[in-house]
Amino acid sequence: MPSTTVIPCRLIPLVIVAVAALALIVAPTPGSLSVVGTKWLSSLGLSVPRVDLVSEITLVLLALAAGSAIGLVWWKHPEQRPRAAVASIGVVLAYITSEGLKVLFAQPRPCSRWVTAAECPPAGDWSLPSNHATLAFGAVAVVSVLLGRATITWVMIGFAVLVAIGRVLEGVHYVHDVAIGALLGMGLPVLLTLVFDADAETVGVWNERPLPTPTKVSVGRARITRHLTRN
């Protein structure tokens, strides 16, 4: 049975990933952890045949998993269709935000600095943040808030991490690019779903409130009104 609301304890896997992503962004190390890690991973990518397929195939699998979760909810649990729509909209907004941040930061890709495995995208196709990571972790968020199964969420996280690492191995993204993409992809769908659930719960509480019982004063006034009307 899919989850009808976002239960905080079921968000623990996403919180752990978010903390790890923040650590990758802000951890102080000589030469920047992101730059050092990116240079090391991209050098490893040179020895991996068709390394670009790692992220592309894994992202397709994540998209299929998220689509399956939405389809399950849509057809078997119609009452949850609004939540599925809200979570999906969150992923779309995360992607749009990612595109906007690319233009804002205009950060060149690591493949413009070093020799890497993948062909470097043309100038103007910026690096920060990673759209692949945004979509991958967005798929994780959708499945997490709709199904609420920790095991499934962790498996999805594993695939999403492969997408992120694959992009760094290719040399088309820095570590902080994929970390920020992960935060975007998880953050907006979860946030929108939490807001939706809170609003739905508030409406449900008001609808369940009992109607006020007539008081002696109101009953007396009603009798006087009827008496005057008759006369």
Side-chain angles (χ1 to χ4, degrees):
M1 174 70 180
S3 175
T4 56
T5 58
V6 177
I7 300 174
C9 65
R10 292 178 179 174
L11 294 179
I12 290 176
L14 302 186
V15 172
I16 292 173
V17 174
V19 171
L22 285 171
L24 289 174
I25 296 168
V26 304
T29 57
S32 168
L33 176 62
S34 178
V35 173
V36 172
T38 300
K39 195 169 184 179
W40 178 69
L41 285 171
S42 61
S43 65
L44 288 180
L46 291 170
S47 60
V48 180
R50 297 307 308 273
V51 66
D52 56 304
L53 294 179
V54 173
S55 57
E56 299 300 335
I57 292 176
T58 312
L59 183 58
V60 170
L61 293 175
L62 286 168
L64 290 174
S68 299
I70 294 170
L72 172 67
V73 167
W74 200 267
W75 295 111
K76 291 194 174 182
H77 305 277
E79 73 283 357
Q80 291 223 52
R81 289 177 182 176
R83 296 183 78 247
V86 168
S88 302
I89 291 171
V91 177
V92 174
L93 291 178
Y95 179 81
I96 293 172
T97 303
S98 177
E99 286 288 350
L101 290 175
K102 282 180 180 290
V103 176
L104 177 64
F105 291 115
Q107 175 188 274
R109 294 180 183 269
C111 52
S112 66
R113 300 178 59 184
W114 310 306
V115 176
T116 59
E119 180 180 350
C120 204
D125 188 350
W126 306 113
S127 179
L128 175 67
S130 165
N131 284 340
H132 278 68
T134 299
L135 293 174
F137 283 92
V140 174
V142 168
V143 172
S144 179
V145 299
L146 292 183
L147 301 185
R149 301 289 183 87
T151 303
I152 297 175
T153 299
W154 279 116
V155 171
M156 294 280 290
I157 287 172
F159 279 103
V161 169
L162 276 179
V163 172
I165 292 176
R167 296 300 281 171
V168 180
L169 286 170
E170 290 178 57
V172 294
H173 281 295
Y174 290 96
V175 171
H176 64 266
D177 297 343
V178 296
I180 293 173
L183 291 174
L184 267 179
M186 293 186 298
L188 284 178
V190 170
L191 178 61
L192 288 181
T193 307
L194 285 171
V195 171
F196 175 82
D197 288 346
D199 287 344
E201 185 176 349
T202 300
V203 171
V205 169
W206 277 99
N207 288 339
E208 292 173 3
R209 290 184 65 182
L211 294 174
T213 56
T215 63
K216 292 182 179 179
V217 174
S218 62
V219 172
R221 287 176 179 173
R223 288 176 179 174
I224 293 172
T225 301
R226 285 199 301 270
H227 176 73
L228 292 175
T229 304
R230 290 173 183 173
N231 293 336

